[in-house]
Amino acid sequence: MATALEAAAGVMRGDSRAAVSSFARCWGAQQSVALDVIVTPDSSVVIHPETVVTRALRLIDSVNTSTNCLHTTVGFGILVHKLTKLTGTVPAHIASTTAERCSAFSYRSGVIGLLLRTNELDAAIAYHRELEYSALLQRNEIWSLGTFGGDIPQTPQLILSGKPRLTRTAANVIADVTDLNDAYLYYLVTTAVPVLLSYDPTFGAAKDKLAQAISERMENGITNRNARKASATLISSLR
């Protein structure tokens, strides 16, 4: 929470370097929750969270992403993700059409924020198509999920050294299968899980748990027909 407050303070001062540096230290499940508590209107610990969001929107264009350094990549990506999740709009200049690490990470960050905010299946479909033809986006997907879960160390240039078992990452994905909306579920079963399986075929020794979680989600009801069909397809492949 202290680091999340430092990030908010950097935003309020208009200090992009300090803000991004603090955001970069908020990569992980618990840290993400702390950031949400800072800026989410219904649960914020600050008096005027909307002011933090407004200042952050102004700040985003002043971040120097050309350095492509690791802290900037992660910090800027988190900023993009949180703003997209809050506003439902990805910053206009965020795109995947580049070979740079920072752009790939921020592009994915915006997509995930959009899925969580809007539940738009088209956004998940478009991201899946982009990833199919981009080795960088595929590597970024593994790196993002694996580092967020703490199974893969944060390394420069999205380097994937070795092939550790993705135990904590698998647990995070299984929890998301249960809890998050249909568009995000579609993203998981069509994009995230297949890419993670290409890296760790055992899925953190949790393939059976994943299949069970998807089955239970289907039993509880999946409104979107495409998400239901894709979920059934993945279950068949897992078994």
Side-chain angles (χ1 to χ4, degrees):
M1 181 63 74
T3 305
L5 285 168
E6 286 178 5
V11 167
M12 293 301 290
R13 293 195 306 270
D15 187 340
S16 60
R17 290 185 64 183
V20 166
S21 178
S22 295
F23 277 121
R25 299 198 301 275
C26 293
W27 184 240
Q30 293 181 333
Q31 298 94 320
S32 182
V33 170
L35 277 176
D36 284 340
V37 170
I38 298 295
V39 295
T40 303
D42 294 338
S43 60
S44 180
V45 299
V46 299
I47 297 174
H48 298 296
E50 67 279 1
T51 304
V52 179
V53 175
T54 299
R55 298 272 181 99
L57 287 168
R58 294 176 190 165
L59 185 76
I60 199 165
D61 289 328
S62 68
V63 178
N64 180 14
T65 59
S66 62
T67 61
N68 212 33
C69 73
L70 182 60
H71 271 182
T72 302
T73 295
V74 176
F76 182 71
I78 291 173
L79 180 60
V80 168
H81 169 73
K82 294 301 181 184
L83 288 175
T84 305
K85 185 179 174 184
L86 285 165
T87 66
T89 303
V90 181
H93 64 287
I94 304 300
S96 66
T97 54
T98 178
E100 292 184 351
R101 173 189 66 192
C102 190
S103 295
F105 188 82
S106 59
Y107 170 62
R108 177 188 181 274
S109 298
V111 169
I112 299 304
L114 193 64
L115 295 179
L116 294 174
R117 174 71 177 188
T118 66
N119 195 22
E120 290 183 4
L121 195 76
D122 286 347
I125 293 172
Y127 177 65
H128 176 73
R129 288 173 178 166
E130 289 269 8
L131 184 137
E132 277 189 306
Y133 297 101
S134 172
L136 175 60
L137 286 179
Q138 292 169 25
R139 189 168 77 250
N140 176 68
E141 184 70 19
I142 298 168
W143 191 93
S144 297
L145 290 165
T147 57
F148 189 82
D151 291 318
I152 296 174
Q154 291 189 30
T155 50
Q157 303 304 323
L158 306 180
I159 294 171
L160 299 172
S161 56
K163 285 202 172 184
R165 184 164 285 186
L166 301 176
T167 307
R168 286 170 287 193
T169 304
N172 287 343
V173 170
I174 290 169
D176 289 344
V177 163
T178 300
D179 296 335
L180 299 181
N181 63 38
D182 284 0
Y184 196 87
L185 175 67
Y186 182 89
Y187 147 74
L188 288 176
V189 300
T190 62
T191 305
V193 170
V195 171
L196 290 173
L197 284 169
S198 72
Y199 182 77
D200 175 9
T202 74
F203 196 68
K207 289 172 69 174
D208 290 343
K209 290 181 180 179
L210 175 62
Q212 181 63 33
I214 298 172
S215 296
E216 290 175 358
R217 175 69 182 266
M218 293 181 68
E219 290 172 5
N220 292 333
I222 298 175
T223 303
N224 187 279
R225 182 175 61 183
N226 289 331
R228 172 176 283 276
K229 182 179 178 180
S231 297
T233 299
L234 180 60
I235 289 175
S236 296
S237 69
L238 290 171
R239 290 175 173 169

